[in-house]
Amino acid sequence: MLRLLGIGGIGIVRMSGEKSFEIVEKIFKPKTYQAVENIKGYTIKYGNIVENGEIIDEVLVSYFKAPKSYTTENMCEINTHGGNIIMRKILELCLKNGAILAKPGEFTQRAFLNGRIDLLQAESVIDIINAKSEKEAKTGVKQLEGFLSKEIKEIKHKIMDVMVNIEVAIDYPEYDVDDVTNEQIIEMLNIVNTRLKKLEKSFDNGKLIKEGIKTAIIGRPNAGKSSLLNAILKEDRAIVTEYEGTTRDTIEEFVNINGIPLKLIDTAGIRKAKDEVEKIGISKSKEIAMMSDLIIAIFDSSKELTDEDLEILQLAKSGKTIILLNKIDLEPKINREDERLRKVSNHIVEISALNNTGLENLYNEISKMFNLSEINLDSELIITNIRHKNLISKAIEDIEKTKKTIKDGMPLDIVAIYIKELLEMLGNITGDIVSDDIINEIFSKFCLGK
Ligand code: GDP
């Protein structure tokens, strides 16, 4: 199995499997020859890739010997000079000599199938690759280290401890073992429930980190929307990524400032409005306000509130809103004490988008509103994956059902069926029991070469 990775100054052709050393030996002429059996794992050798006596590229080859490799199989990585032509050529040479092309995610899939990592860890590799913020990458790395897997395993052990006693009581009623009491079962279920609920709740934070706070900037023409947008995007510390928006013709920009992940909705619309070609109408503003987690409603503080402003305030009522009084460098006509503003939101910040003043206060306000400082990634487990969240929610439902069967006075063997279902749900998360379809689906989300 082999794969070509990216295009850059240096490229890597990666091979995994029994035959990888045999294949590399046929095409790679190291400066100092050593038989493959004598090459230790984690060795890098320098030499040339050669075809019919002709040098294709000067390369470094890293050797990883089973089981100490990413996939646990023999692996080698040919570090070539980047560039499509040479890499493709080397890839073809490997193929000609017996390698087959890897599917997306196949390296990680093998690491999973060979038991080196569990499904949670494999999925976290995708999250790390796709991470848009430092916080998100950190949660991915923590998952890769197995923190979440450990928590799920501990929860499963707690259930198993009680399950074993239940099984004995069902299968060997003649044995004089201490009967497991309903109270014991319920106590165990409550402990498990608390731990799962905590994980379930962490998803909301995880989602914010992963997807960003969907933010709509609304305001009447000339209030300063595009000036604000530019001021935010110009921040030195902002990491900006552009996305196609969910609706046609919209662009969403992901900005990360001081660890505050903002996904600005419809930035294209705001820019268009600036060209005076198309003003954002109230109905369009309504639409973007509806899809957002945060509304930033911006007003020109050097003018009295207009009818349009009042309509914008009406829209802003519908969600978490920050009111921005812009243009504070000019003579004020409205201020933060204005009852019409205070009725809509207590979060009022004064700025001058033109002079770049007050932005820091805006970020602090957002941070406070979303408890961002409370998301402590070092001490907390955070789930960011919807598949995990759904399974955890189902497991919590199973707990409720189990408790009900006990309260209804059902016999132990019925209770046991529910507890087994609960265990199965948790097993699905770490992948101890999971169908091939799900595995294929998960690994198909990988990029090539990982
Ligand atoms: P939009 O139509 O809401 O996108 O508003 P713009 O960002 O295009 O701003 C409209 C006008 O107000 C432009 O001439 C800006 O230069 C000006 N403007 C924006 N922010 C400020 C500010 O803080 N102070 C002053 N004095 N002018 C501003």
Side-chain angles (χ1 to χ4, degrees), residues 219-228 270 273-274 276 279 298 326-330 351-355:
R220 69 167 166 78
N222 284 328
K225 293 178 295 299
S226 69
S227 305
L228 172 68
I270 294 174
K274 196 181 170 163
E276 304 286 322
K279 299 279 184 201
I298 180 164
N326 188 29
K327 310 196 189 182
I328 52 161
D329 52 297
L330 302 175
I351 64 155
S352 165
L354 195 67
N355 298 346

